[in-house]
Amino acid sequence: MSKFFIINTEAISEFLPVGISVSLSTTGVDLSSIENDDVLIGYNNRTQQFHCHYQAIKDDSGVKLVKQLDKKHSINIKDISNFPSTTLSSILSPMSICIINEALGVKLLKILYSENNYDCTKTFQQVIFGAPGTGKSYSINKTIGENVTVKVDSSDSKVPLPQVGGDKYIIPDKMVFRTTFHPEYDYAQFVGCYKPIVADEDGKDVTYQFVPQVFTDAYVEAWNNPNKPVFLVIEEINRGNCAQIFGDIFQLLDRNKDGESEYSIQPDKDLQKYLSKKLEINDSNVDESIRNGEALLLPKNFNILATMNTSDQSLYPMDSAFKRRWDWKYTPTITDDKYGKSKNFKIYLGDNAKSDCCNWIDFIKAVNQRIKDATKSEDKQLGEYFIKHDVYIDEFISKVMFYLWTDVCKENYSTKDNFFRTAKDKNDRDKNEEFTFNELVSEIKKDGSTTITILKAERLQQFMNYLDVKIEKITPEP
Protein backbone atom coordinates (compact mmCIF):
# COMPACT_ATOMS: atom_id res chain seq x y z
CA MET A 1 0.00 0.00 0.00
CA SER A 2 1.34 3.45 -0.94
CA LYS A 3 2.34 5.77 1.86
CA PHE A 4 1.66 9.50 1.95
CA PHE A 5 4.35 12.10 2.48
CA ILE A 6 4.26 15.88 2.61
CA ILE A 7 7.00 17.74 0.77
CA ASN A 8 7.58 21.47 0.82
CA THR A 9 7.83 22.46 -2.86
CA GLU A 10 8.30 26.17 -2.30
CA ALA A 11 11.72 26.04 -3.96
CA ILE A 12 10.67 24.14 -7.09
CA SER A 13 6.91 23.94 -7.56
CA GLU A 14 6.45 27.07 -9.61
CA PHE A 15 9.34 26.14 -11.90
CA LEU A 16 8.85 22.41 -12.37
CA PRO A 17 6.64 21.46 -15.33
CA VAL A 18 4.23 18.53 -15.19
CA GLY A 19 5.90 15.24 -16.09
CA ILE A 20 9.41 16.37 -15.16
CA SER A 21 11.38 14.35 -12.64
CA VAL A 22 13.67 15.75 -9.95
CA SER A 23 16.49 13.72 -8.42
CA LEU A 24 16.79 13.86 -4.63
CA SER A 25 20.27 13.68 -3.13
CA THR A 26 20.48 13.11 0.57
CA THR A 27 22.93 14.31 3.17
CA GLY A 28 23.33 11.28 5.35
CA VAL A 29 19.57 10.68 5.62
CA ASP A 30 18.00 7.24 5.32
CA LEU A 31 15.33 7.26 2.61
CA SER A 32 14.56 3.57 2.93
CA SER A 33 11.01 4.43 4.02
CA ILE A 34 10.26 5.88 0.56
CA GLU A 35 9.26 3.23 -1.96
CA ASN A 36 8.08 3.17 -5.55
CA ASP A 37 4.64 4.70 -6.11
CA ASP A 38 4.60 6.41 -2.73
CA VAL A 39 2.77 9.71 -2.93
CA LEU A 40 4.33 13.02 -1.92
CA ILE A 41 1.83 15.83 -1.47
CA GLY A 42 3.14 19.19 -2.63
CA TYR A 43 2.82 21.87 0.05
CA ASN A 44 3.83 25.51 -0.42
CA ASN A 45 5.03 26.92 2.87
CA ARG A 46 4.64 30.50 1.66
CA THR A 47 0.97 30.16 0.66
CA GLN A 48 0.33 27.37 3.21
CA GLN A 49 -1.64 25.39 0.63
CA PHE A 50 -1.52 21.91 -0.87
CA HIS A 51 -1.39 22.24 -4.65
CA CYS A 52 -0.21 19.06 -6.43
CA HIS A 53 1.31 15.66 -5.86
CA TYR A 54 4.39 13.75 -6.91
CA GLN A 55 4.95 10.08 -7.58
CA ALA A 56 8.10 8.57 -6.08
CA ILE A 57 10.32 6.45 -8.31
CA LYS A 58 13.12 4.61 -6.56
CA ASP A 59 16.03 2.86 -8.27
CA ASP A 60 19.73 2.23 -7.74
CA SER A 61 20.53 5.91 -8.35
CA GLY A 62 18.20 7.13 -5.62
CA VAL A 63 14.75 8.66 -5.39
CA LYS A 64 13.12 10.76 -8.08
CA LEU A 65 9.88 12.70 -7.94
CA VAL A 66 7.61 13.00 -10.96
CA LYS A 67 5.15 15.87 -10.84
CA GLN A 68 1.57 14.82 -11.61
CA LEU A 69 -1.19 16.98 -13.00
CA ASP A 70 -4.29 15.73 -11.20
CA LYS A 71 -4.94 15.82 -7.44
CA LYS A 72 -6.51 12.43 -6.93
CA HIS A 73 -4.24 11.81 -3.94
CA SER A 74 -4.66 15.24 -2.38
CA ILE A 75 -5.39 15.27 1.31
CA ASN A 76 -6.07 17.90 3.94
CA ILE A 77 -4.23 18.36 7.20
CA LYS A 78 -7.42 17.81 9.16
CA ASP A 79 -7.73 14.32 7.62
CA ILE A 80 -4.39 13.19 9.06
CA SER A 81 -4.57 11.78 12.57
CA ASN A 82 -2.24 13.27 15.18
CA PHE A 83 -0.73 15.71 12.71
CA PRO A 84 0.52 18.84 14.50
CA SER A 85 -0.83 21.28 11.95
CA THR A 86 0.07 24.29 14.06
CA THR A 87 3.77 23.56 13.60
CA LEU A 88 3.65 22.87 9.87
CA SER A 89 5.11 26.24 8.86
CA SER A 90 7.91 26.07 11.38
CA ILE A 91 9.15 22.59 10.50
CA LEU A 92 8.82 22.75 6.72
CA SER A 93 11.71 24.62 5.15
CA PRO A 94 12.38 24.77 1.40
CA MET A 95 15.03 22.08 1.82
CA SER A 96 13.10 19.60 3.94
CA ILE A 97 10.54 16.82 3.73
CA CYS A 98 8.09 15.44 6.27
CA ILE A 99 6.92 11.86 6.49
CA ILE A 100 3.41 11.29 7.82
CA ASN A 101 2.86 8.36 10.15
CA GLU A 102 -0.08 8.01 12.50
CA ALA A 103 2.04 6.37 15.16
CA LEU A 104 5.14 8.54 14.93
CA GLY A 105 3.50 11.82 14.03
CA VAL A 106 5.85 13.90 11.88
CA LYS A 107 9.45 12.97 11.21
CA LEU A 108 11.67 15.56 9.55
CA LEU A 109 14.13 14.42 6.90
CA LYS A 110 16.73 16.87 5.60
CA ILE A 111 17.02 16.61 1.83
CA LEU A 112 18.60 18.78 -0.86
CA TYR A 113 16.88 19.21 -4.21
CA SER A 114 20.08 18.95 -6.18
CA GLU A 115 22.47 16.35 -7.50
CA ASN A 116 25.23 18.58 -6.17
CA ASN A 117 25.22 19.35 -2.48
CA TYR A 118 25.38 23.06 -1.79
CA ASP A 119 29.02 23.92 -1.39
CA CYS A 120 29.75 26.98 0.73
CA THR A 121 33.40 26.09 1.25
CA LYS A 122 34.35 27.84 -2.01
CA THR A 123 33.97 31.58 -2.45
CA PHE A 124 33.90 32.99 -5.96
CA GLN A 125 35.01 36.55 -6.63
CA GLN A 126 35.89 36.31 -10.26
CA VAL A 127 35.88 38.28 -13.50
CA ILE A 128 35.41 36.19 -16.64
CA PHE A 129 36.92 38.09 -19.55
CA GLY A 130 37.42 37.54 -23.24
CA ALA A 131 36.47 38.55 -26.75
CA PRO A 132 32.80 38.77 -27.80
CA GLY A 133 31.09 35.41 -28.25
CA THR A 134 33.52 33.34 -26.19
CA GLY A 135 30.91 32.14 -23.69
CA LYS A 136 31.54 34.39 -20.68
CA SER A 137 27.92 34.38 -19.49
CA TYR A 138 27.76 30.65 -20.25
CA SER A 139 30.79 30.13 -18.01
CA ILE A 140 29.05 31.99 -15.19
CA ASN A 141 25.85 29.97 -15.61
CA LYS A 142 27.89 26.76 -15.55
CA THR A 143 29.56 27.77 -12.28
CA ILE A 144 26.18 28.53 -10.77
CA GLY A 145 24.70 25.36 -12.24
CA GLU A 146 27.38 23.27 -10.55
CA ASN A 147 26.70 24.80 -7.15
CA VAL A 148 23.11 25.90 -6.63
CA THR A 149 20.74 24.38 -9.16
CA VAL A 150 18.13 21.69 -9.40
CA LYS A 151 19.02 19.25 -12.14
CA VAL A 152 15.98 17.81 -13.93
CA ASP A 153 15.31 14.98 -16.33
CA SER A 154 13.24 16.55 -19.09
CA SER A 155 13.70 13.96 -21.81
CA ASP A 156 9.96 13.34 -21.91
CA SER A 157 8.97 16.99 -21.86
CA LYS A 158 8.60 19.54 -24.62
CA VAL A 159 8.94 22.37 -22.11
CA PRO A 160 12.12 24.42 -22.83
CA LEU A 161 14.53 24.67 -19.91
CA PRO A 162 17.89 26.43 -19.52
CA GLN A 163 20.89 24.23 -20.30
CA VAL A 164 24.35 24.21 -18.76
CA GLY A 165 27.01 21.91 -20.15
CA GLY A 166 24.45 19.66 -21.82
CA ASP A 167 22.43 19.30 -18.62
CA LYS A 168 19.18 21.09 -17.89
CA TYR A 169 18.79 23.00 -14.65
CA ILE A 170 16.34 25.03 -12.63
CA ILE A 171 17.88 27.76 -10.49
CA PRO A 172 16.00 28.16 -7.19
CA ASP A 173 14.69 31.58 -6.29
CA LYS A 174 16.75 34.12 -4.31
CA MET A 175 20.11 32.50 -5.00
CA VAL A 176 21.18 34.52 -8.02
CA PHE A 177 21.00 38.32 -8.28
CA ARG A 178 21.86 39.91 -11.61
CA THR A 179 22.71 43.40 -12.80
CA THR A 180 24.45 45.04 -15.78
CA PHE A 181 26.84 47.96 -15.47
CA HIS A 182 26.69 50.89 -17.90
CA PRO A 183 28.22 54.40 -18.00
CA GLU A 184 25.33 55.99 -16.07
CA TYR A 185 25.20 53.27 -13.38
CA ASP A 186 26.04 54.50 -9.86
CA TYR A 187 26.22 53.56 -6.17
CA ALA A 188 22.52 54.30 -5.57
CA GLN A 189 21.50 51.86 -8.32
CA PHE A 190 23.87 49.22 -6.97
CA VAL A 191 23.30 49.51 -3.21
CA GLY A 192 20.15 51.57 -2.73
CA CYS A 193 18.99 55.00 -1.63
CA TYR A 194 16.05 56.94 -0.22
CA LYS A 195 13.23 57.42 -2.72
CA PRO A 196 9.76 58.97 -2.59
CA ILE A 197 7.02 56.37 -2.17
CA VAL A 198 3.38 57.14 -2.98
CA ALA A 199 1.25 55.63 -0.23
CA ASP A 200 -2.22 56.18 -1.73
CA GLU A 201 -3.91 56.14 -5.13
CA ASP A 202 -4.47 59.89 -5.13
CA GLY A 203 -0.74 60.51 -4.86
CA LYS A 204 -1.21 62.94 -2.00
CA ASP A 205 0.46 60.91 0.72
CA VAL A 206 4.15 60.69 -0.21
CA THR A 207 6.75 59.25 2.12
CA TYR A 208 10.47 58.61 1.76
CA GLN A 209 12.05 55.28 2.50
CA PHE A 210 15.22 53.36 1.71
CA VAL A 211 14.82 51.26 -1.45
CA PRO A 212 17.42 48.46 -1.63
CA GLN A 213 19.09 47.46 -4.88
CA VAL A 214 20.79 44.31 -6.09
CA PHE A 215 23.87 44.36 -3.83
CA THR A 216 21.84 44.92 -0.66
CA ASP A 217 19.28 42.26 -1.62
CA ALA A 218 22.06 39.71 -2.18
CA TYR A 219 23.85 40.77 1.03
CA VAL A 220 20.74 40.24 3.18
CA GLU A 221 19.97 36.90 1.53
CA ALA A 222 23.53 35.64 2.09
CA TRP A 223 23.61 36.54 5.80
CA ASN A 224 20.10 35.22 6.47
CA ASN A 225 20.89 31.89 4.76
CA PRO A 226 24.51 31.06 5.65
CA ASN A 227 24.24 27.45 4.44
CA LYS A 228 23.38 28.26 0.84
CA PRO A 229 25.57 30.06 -1.72
CA VAL A 230 24.30 33.38 -3.04
CA PHE A 231 25.61 34.76 -6.33
CA LEU A 232 25.75 38.39 -7.40
CA VAL A 233 26.27 38.42 -11.18
CA ILE A 234 27.55 41.61 -12.82
CA GLU A 235 27.44 41.70 -16.60
CA GLU A 236 29.77 44.09 -18.48
CA ILE A 237 31.61 45.23 -15.35
CA ASN A 238 34.07 47.33 -17.36
CA ARG A 239 31.33 49.50 -18.89
CA GLY A 240 30.67 51.23 -15.57
CA ASN A 241 32.73 53.44 -13.30
CA CYS A 242 33.64 50.78 -10.73
CA ALA A 243 35.17 53.29 -8.29
CA GLN A 244 31.90 55.25 -8.25
CA ILE A 245 29.62 52.20 -8.22
CA PHE A 246 31.35 50.25 -5.44
CA GLY A 247 32.33 53.25 -3.34
CA ASP A 248 33.44 52.09 0.11
CA ILE A 249 32.20 48.54 -0.66
CA PHE A 250 35.51 48.26 -2.52
CA GLN A 251 37.10 47.59 0.89
CA LEU A 252 34.89 44.52 1.41
CA LEU A 253 36.36 42.81 -1.66
CA ASP A 254 39.53 42.04 0.29
CA ARG A 255 38.75 38.49 1.47
CA ASN A 256 40.58 36.26 3.96
CA LYS A 257 41.38 32.58 3.40
CA ASP A 258 37.90 31.59 4.64
CA GLY A 259 36.18 33.80 2.07
CA GLU A 260 34.97 36.51 4.45
CA SER A 261 35.86 40.17 4.10
CA GLU A 262 39.19 40.95 5.76
CA TYR A 263 37.88 44.30 6.95
CA SER A 264 34.41 45.59 7.72
CA ILE A 265 33.06 49.02 6.84
CA GLN A 266 30.44 51.25 8.42
CA PRO A 267 27.33 51.78 6.26
CA ASP A 268 25.54 55.09 6.11
CA LYS A 269 22.63 55.63 8.52
CA ASP A 270 19.95 54.90 5.92
CA LEU A 271 21.43 51.54 4.93
CA GLN A 272 22.15 50.66 8.58
CA LYS A 273 18.54 51.30 9.54
CA TYR A 274 17.30 49.12 6.69
CA LEU A 275 19.69 46.26 7.52
CA SER A 276 18.74 46.32 11.20
CA LYS A 277 15.18 45.40 10.17
CA LYS A 278 16.01 42.86 7.45
CA LEU A 279 18.93 40.89 8.83
CA GLU A 280 17.96 37.72 10.72
CA ILE A 281 21.34 36.37 11.82
CA ASN A 282 20.95 33.75 14.55
CA ASP A 283 24.63 32.82 14.84
CA SER A 284 25.90 34.29 18.11
CA ASN A 285 29.46 33.94 16.79
CA VAL A 286 28.76 36.73 14.32
CA ASP A 287 29.71 40.11 15.72
CA GLU A 288 26.79 42.10 17.04
CA SER A 289 27.68 45.07 14.84
CA ILE A 290 27.14 42.84 11.78
CA ARG A 291 23.88 41.43 13.13
CA ASN A 292 22.35 44.86 13.71
CA GLY A 293 23.66 46.38 10.48
CA GLU A 294 26.10 48.79 12.07
CA ALA A 295 28.94 47.19 10.12
CA LEU A 296 29.14 45.58 6.67
CA LEU A 297 31.16 42.43 6.04
CA LEU A 298 30.78 39.91 3.21
CA PRO A 299 30.14 36.34 4.43
CA LYS A 300 31.88 33.45 2.71
CA ASN A 301 28.68 32.36 0.92
CA PHE A 302 28.41 35.75 -0.84
CA ASN A 303 29.86 35.14 -4.31
CA ILE A 304 30.44 37.75 -7.01
CA LEU A 305 30.86 36.78 -10.67
CA ALA A 306 31.38 39.36 -13.40
CA THR A 307 31.91 39.43 -17.16
CA MET A 308 34.20 41.75 -19.11
CA ASN A 309 34.24 42.09 -22.89
CA THR A 310 37.81 42.82 -23.95
CA SER A 311 36.69 44.38 -27.25
CA ASP A 312 34.87 47.23 -25.49
CA GLN A 313 36.71 50.50 -25.06
CA SER A 314 36.18 51.10 -21.36
CA LEU A 315 35.13 54.62 -20.44
CA TYR A 316 36.44 54.11 -16.90
CA PRO A 317 39.57 51.94 -16.68
CA MET A 318 39.89 49.81 -13.56
CA ASP A 319 42.77 50.68 -11.27
CA SER A 320 45.25 48.02 -10.17
CA ALA A 321 44.03 48.01 -6.55
CA PHE A 322 40.53 47.09 -7.72
CA LYS A 323 41.80 44.46 -10.17
CA ARG A 324 43.96 42.62 -7.65
CA ARG A 325 40.96 41.85 -5.45
CA TRP A 326 39.48 39.60 -8.14
CA ASP A 327 40.36 36.24 -9.63
CA TRP A 328 40.55 36.50 -13.41
CA LYS A 329 39.49 33.77 -15.83
CA TYR A 330 40.11 34.11 -19.55
CA THR A 331 37.71 32.57 -22.07
CA PRO A 332 39.62 31.88 -25.31
CA THR A 333 38.07 32.39 -28.74
CA ILE A 334 38.58 28.75 -29.71
CA THR A 335 39.90 26.16 -27.28
CA ASP A 336 40.43 23.15 -29.57
CA ASP A 337 38.83 21.30 -32.47
CA LYS A 338 36.14 19.71 -30.31
CA TYR A 339 33.53 22.41 -30.75
CA GLY A 340 29.97 22.27 -29.59
CA LYS A 341 27.02 22.90 -31.84
CA SER A 342 28.80 25.91 -33.38
CA LYS A 343 30.88 23.58 -35.56
CA ASN A 344 27.80 23.01 -37.71
CA PHE A 345 26.79 26.67 -38.09
CA LYS A 346 26.58 27.85 -41.70
CA ILE A 347 27.00 31.29 -43.27
CA TYR A 348 24.63 31.37 -46.23
CA LEU A 349 25.67 33.85 -48.92
CA GLY A 350 22.05 34.35 -49.87
CA ASP A 351 18.63 34.64 -48.27
CA ASN A 352 17.80 30.92 -48.00
CA ALA A 353 19.32 27.52 -47.25
CA LYS A 354 19.74 26.80 -50.97
CA SER A 355 22.44 29.47 -51.23
CA ASP A 356 26.18 28.80 -51.36
CA CYS A 357 27.59 28.71 -47.84
CA CYS A 358 30.68 28.65 -45.64
CA ASN A 359 31.38 26.90 -42.38
CA TRP A 360 31.30 29.33 -39.42
CA ILE A 361 34.33 27.82 -37.64
CA ASP A 362 36.41 27.96 -40.84
CA PHE A 363 35.48 31.61 -41.17
CA ILE A 364 36.37 32.71 -37.62
CA LYS A 365 39.67 30.84 -37.75
CA ALA A 366 40.62 32.80 -40.86
CA VAL A 367 39.26 36.16 -39.76
CA ASN A 368 40.71 35.92 -36.22
CA GLN A 369 44.19 35.56 -37.66
CA ARG A 370 43.57 38.70 -39.74
CA ILE A 371 42.31 40.56 -36.65
CA LYS A 372 45.39 39.55 -34.69
CA ASP A 373 47.70 40.67 -37.50
CA ALA A 374 45.88 44.00 -37.87
CA THR A 375 45.48 44.91 -34.18
CA LYS A 376 48.47 43.05 -32.72
CA SER A 377 45.97 41.79 -30.13
CA GLU A 378 43.36 39.08 -29.56
CA ASP A 379 40.89 41.38 -27.79
CA LYS A 380 38.70 42.01 -30.83
CA GLN A 381 38.63 38.45 -32.18
CA LEU A 382 35.35 36.59 -32.63
CA GLY A 383 34.29 33.84 -30.25
CA GLU A 384 32.64 30.77 -31.67
CA TYR A 385 29.30 31.86 -30.18
CA PHE A 386 29.35 35.37 -31.67
CA ILE A 387 26.46 33.91 -33.65
CA LYS A 388 24.25 31.22 -32.17
CA HIS A 389 22.70 29.64 -35.25
CA ASP A 390 22.92 29.50 -39.05
CA VAL A 391 22.88 32.98 -40.58
CA TYR A 392 21.75 34.29 -43.94
CA ILE A 393 23.37 37.11 -45.83
CA ASP A 394 21.59 40.13 -44.33
CA GLU A 395 22.05 39.02 -40.72
CA PHE A 396 25.68 38.13 -41.38
CA ILE A 397 26.35 41.56 -42.86
CA SER A 398 24.52 43.51 -40.16
CA LYS A 399 26.01 41.59 -37.24
CA VAL A 400 29.39 40.15 -38.21
CA MET A 401 30.61 42.34 -41.07
CA PHE A 402 29.46 45.52 -39.33
CA TYR A 403 31.43 44.55 -36.21
CA LEU A 404 34.55 43.78 -38.26
CA TRP A 405 34.29 47.10 -40.08
CA THR A 406 33.60 49.40 -37.14
CA ASP A 407 35.93 47.75 -34.61
CA VAL A 408 38.85 46.70 -36.82
CA CYS A 409 38.93 47.62 -40.49
CA LYS A 410 37.59 51.17 -40.63
CA GLU A 411 40.61 52.59 -38.82
CA ASN A 412 42.93 50.56 -41.04
CA TYR A 413 41.37 51.48 -44.38
CA SER A 414 43.96 52.19 -47.11
CA THR A 415 46.58 50.28 -45.14
CA LYS A 416 47.87 46.76 -45.47
CA ASP A 417 46.09 45.83 -42.23
CA ASN A 418 42.64 46.35 -43.73
CA PHE A 419 41.25 42.95 -44.70
CA PHE A 420 37.96 44.27 -46.09
CA ARG A 421 39.14 43.14 -49.52
CA THR A 422 37.82 41.05 -52.39
CA ALA A 423 39.68 38.57 -54.59
CA LYS A 424 38.02 37.24 -57.72
CA ASP A 425 40.45 34.36 -57.86
CA LYS A 426 41.06 32.45 -54.63
CA ASN A 427 44.44 31.30 -55.94
CA ASP A 428 45.62 34.83 -56.70
CA ARG A 429 44.75 36.81 -53.60
CA ASP A 430 47.47 39.37 -54.29
CA LYS A 431 45.11 40.85 -56.88
CA ASN A 432 42.60 42.27 -54.46
CA GLU A 433 40.53 45.40 -53.99
CA GLU A 434 39.48 47.21 -50.83
CA PHE A 435 35.83 47.90 -50.12
CA THR A 436 33.93 49.75 -47.42
CA PHE A 437 30.91 48.65 -45.42
CA ASN A 438 28.77 51.14 -47.34
CA GLU A 439 29.84 49.60 -50.64
CA LEU A 440 28.96 46.18 -49.30
CA VAL A 441 25.47 47.26 -48.23
CA SER A 442 24.65 49.47 -51.23
CA GLU A 443 25.89 46.93 -53.79
CA ILE A 444 27.29 49.83 -55.81
CA LYS A 445 30.86 50.51 -56.86
CA LYS A 446 32.16 53.62 -58.60
CA ASP A 447 34.71 52.98 -61.37
CA GLY A 448 35.57 56.44 -62.63
CA SER A 449 32.42 57.85 -64.16
CA THR A 450 30.84 54.41 -64.41
CA THR A 451 28.56 52.98 -61.75
CA ILE A 452 28.81 49.22 -61.40
CA THR A 453 26.31 47.11 -59.51
CA ILE A 454 27.91 44.31 -57.47
CA LEU A 455 25.58 41.97 -55.62
CA LYS A 456 26.20 41.51 -51.90
CA ALA A 457 26.49 37.76 -52.39
CA GLU A 458 29.13 38.21 -55.08
CA ARG A 459 31.19 40.60 -52.94
CA LEU A 460 30.96 38.30 -49.92
CA GLN A 461 32.10 35.35 -52.00
CA GLN A 462 35.10 37.38 -53.14
CA PHE A 463 35.71 38.39 -49.50
CA MET A 464 35.76 34.70 -48.54
CA ASN A 465 38.17 34.08 -51.42
CA TYR A 466 40.53 36.70 -49.99
CA LEU A 467 40.35 35.07 -46.54
CA ASP A 468 40.85 31.64 -48.14
CA VAL A 469 37.62 30.31 -46.65
CA LYS A 470 36.13 27.35 -48.48
CA ILE A 471 32.76 28.01 -50.14
CA GLU A 472 30.38 25.10 -50.43
CA LYS A 473 28.62 25.34 -53.76
CA ILE A 474 24.96 24.35 -53.73
CA THR A 475 23.81 22.76 -56.97
CA PRO A 476 20.37 24.11 -57.98
CA GLU A 477 17.63 21.53 -58.26
CA PRO A 478 16.66 20.79 -61.90
Side-chain angles (χ1 to χ4, degrees):
M1 180 178 178
S2 297
K3 298 186 296 298
F4 287 90
F5 297 73
I6 288 182
I7 183 170
N8 183 356
T9 54
E10 183 180 351
I12 62 171
S13 61
E14 59 185 294
F15 302 103
L16 190 67
V18 172
I20 301 298
S21 64
V22 178
S23 298
L24 297 183
S25 295
T26 68
T27 53
V29 176
D30 182 13
L31 293 180
S32 59
S33 55
I34 300 179
E35 301 293 342
N36 276 329
D37 296 324
D38 281 349
V39 177
L40 292 93
I41 309 301
Y43 177 84
N44 190 306
N45 191 48
R46 178 174 55 82
T47 62
Q48 298 188 359
Q49 293 178 346
F50 292 105
H51 56 87
C52 61
H53 78 277
Y54 300 80
Q55 178 186 2
I57 299 177
K58 191 172 185 179
D59 53 29
D60 293 337
S61 63
V63 179
K64 291 184 177 181
L65 304 182
V66 179
K67 186 174 181 179
Q68 305 296 322
L69 179 61
D70 63 280
K71 298 182 179 181
K72 62 183 179 181
H73 293 298
S74 292
I75 54 177
N76 295 318
I77 293 178
K78 61 184 178 62
D79 297 328
I80 305 174
S81 301
N82 302 322
F83 185 75
S85 57
T86 56
T87 62
L88 184 62
S89 296
S90 62
I91 64 173
L92 280 176
S93 69
M95 295 300 155
S96 65
I97 182 173
C98 287
I99 177 172
I100 305 302
N101 184 290
E102 289 188 1
L104 299 177
V106 178
K107 179 181 178 182
L108 190 62
L109 303 178
K110 297 291 184 182
I111 293 180
L112 296 180
Y113 294 97
S114 175
E115 290 194 349
N116 304 292
N117 292 340
Y118 289 165
D119 186 358
C120 290
T121 60
K122 296 183 295 183
T123 302
F124 295 92
Q125 190 163 286
Q126 188 176 70
V127 175
I128 293 89
F129 69 103
T134 53
K136 297 179 290 295
S137 295
Y138 174 89
S139 179
I140 282 180
N141 288 339
K142 185 176 181 181
T143 298
I144 296 172
E146 291 171 347
N147 288 272
V148 306
T149 55
V150 177
K151 184 177 178 182
V152 301
D153 179 5
S154 60
S155 57
D156 298 327
S157 173
K158 297 181 180 179
V159 179
L161 293 170
Q163 293 196 40
V164 177
D167 295 321
K168 298 186 177 182
Y169 294 88
I170 298 169
I171 299 176
D173 193 20
K174 294 184 178 180
M175 300 183 83
V176 181
F177 298 80
R178 296 181 182 271
T179 190
T180 301
F181 283 7
H182 54 79
E184 301 302 318
Y185 201 88
D186 59 17
Y187 182 88
Q189 292 174 283
F190 188 53
V191 178
C193 64
Y194 255 74
K195 291 184 178 182
I197 304 297
V198 179
D200 57 20
E201 296 180 357
D202 297 331
K204 296 180 180 180
D205 187 7
V206 178
T207 61
Y208 285 82
Q209 65 184 47
F210 183 85
V211 178
Q213 298 299 329
V214 63
F215 173 83
T216 302
D217 289 339
Y219 181 85
V220 170
E221 187 68 20
W223 271 116
N224 288 348
N225 298 276
N227 294 320
K228 78 174 185 181
V230 171
F231 284 83
L232 173 59
V233 177
I234 303 171
E235 297 282 1
E236 308 287 353
I237 190 171
N238 57 322
R239 291 187 64 232
N241 185 343
C242 290
Q244 173 183 303
I245 294 169
F246 279 85
D248 54 356
I249 291 174
F250 162 83
Q251 189 72 16
L252 301 180
L253 301 180
D254 230 344
R255 309 263 194 148
N256 59 28
K257 63 179 182 180
D258 296 323
E260 295 180 344
S261 295
E262 189 75 51
Y263 311 101
S264 63
I265 63 172
Q266 183 177 351
D268 59 49
K269 296 297 183 183
D270 297 334
L271 179 56
Q272 188 274 324
K273 183 178 179 181
Y274 175 82
L275 292 176
S276 67
K277 296 178 181 178
K278 295 296 181 178
L279 289 175
E280 300 174 356
I281 305 173
N282 299 318
D283 187 352
S284 59
N285 293 322
V286 176
D287 192 274
E288 184 179 355
S289 63
I290 304 296
R291 298 203 304 269
N292 61 25
E294 292 179 355
L296 288 178
L297 185 139
L298 300 185
K300 63 181 181 181
N301 64 322
F302 189 111
N303 303 277
I304 310 177
L305 295 173
T307 65
M308 188 175 84
N309 192 334
T310 56
S311 72
D312 289 338
Q313 300 298 321
S314 299
L315 296 176
Y316 307 100
M318 299 178 187
D319 60 59
S320 58
F322 183 81
K323 285 182 177 179
R324 75 171 180 81
R325 285 167 165 79
W326 300 80
D327 295 325
W328 293 77
K329 178 182 177 182
Y330 178 66
T331 54
T333 51
I334 298 178
T335 52
D336 52 37
D337 290 330
K338 297 179 181 178
Y339 310 107
K341 60 181 181 180
S342 64
K343 67 182 179 182
N344 297 318
F345 292 167
K346 300 290 185 183
I347 304 167
Y348 288 99
L349 306 179
D351 57 7
N352 59 62
K354 296 181 181 179
S355 309
D356 293 348
C357 62
C358 305
N359 178 269
W360 168 247
I361 296 296
D362 291 344
F363 171 75
I364 61 173
K365 281 183 176 180
V367 82
N368 279 348
Q369 185 58 51
R370 296 282 182 173
I371 293 172
K372 184 178 179 180
D373 293 341
T375 64
K376 308 300 185 288
S377 170
E378 298 175 336
D379 289 348
K380 294 184 181 295
Q381 290 184 329
L382 301 181
E384 59 182 291
Y385 290 103
F386 191 92
I387 65 171
K388 299 179 181 180
H389 50 72
D390 294 344
V391 290
Y392 299 109
I393 187 167
D394 287 336
E395 183 179 358
F396 178 73
I397 289 174
S398 64
K399 187 170 186 178
V400 180
M401 296 298 287
F402 181 70
Y403 170 80
L404 294 175
W405 173 252
T406 56
D407 281 51
V408 182
C409 292
K410 182 171 67 173
E411 298 298 324
N412 293 305
Y413 192 71
S414 297
T415 73
K416 64 180 180 61
D417 290 328
N418 175 35
F419 54 84
F420 252 51
R421 299 175 182 270
T422 58
K424 293 183 179 180
D425 189 344
K426 186 175 181 180
N427 297 318
D428 194 5
R429 292 191 297 278
D430 290 336
K431 297 179 180 180
N432 59 74
E433 295 182 358
E434 285 186 300
F435 66 95
T436 67
F437 184 78
N438 182 64
E439 289 172 338
L440 173 62
V441 175
S442 65
E443 301 183 337
I444 294 176
K445 178 185 177 184
K446 287 283 188 179
D447 186 4
S449 60
T450 305
T451 300
I452 304 173
T453 300
I454 301 179
L455 297 178
K456 290 183 288 187
E458 180 183 353
R459 200 185 294 273
L460 277 182
Q461 287 187 4
Q462 294 175 3
F463 175 63
M464 296 298 178
N465 285 342
Y466 179 73
L467 296 179
D468 196 19
V469 176
K470 180 181 178 181
I471 298 175
E472 181 181 343
K473 296 290 184 179
I474 305 299
T475 303
E477 296 180 359

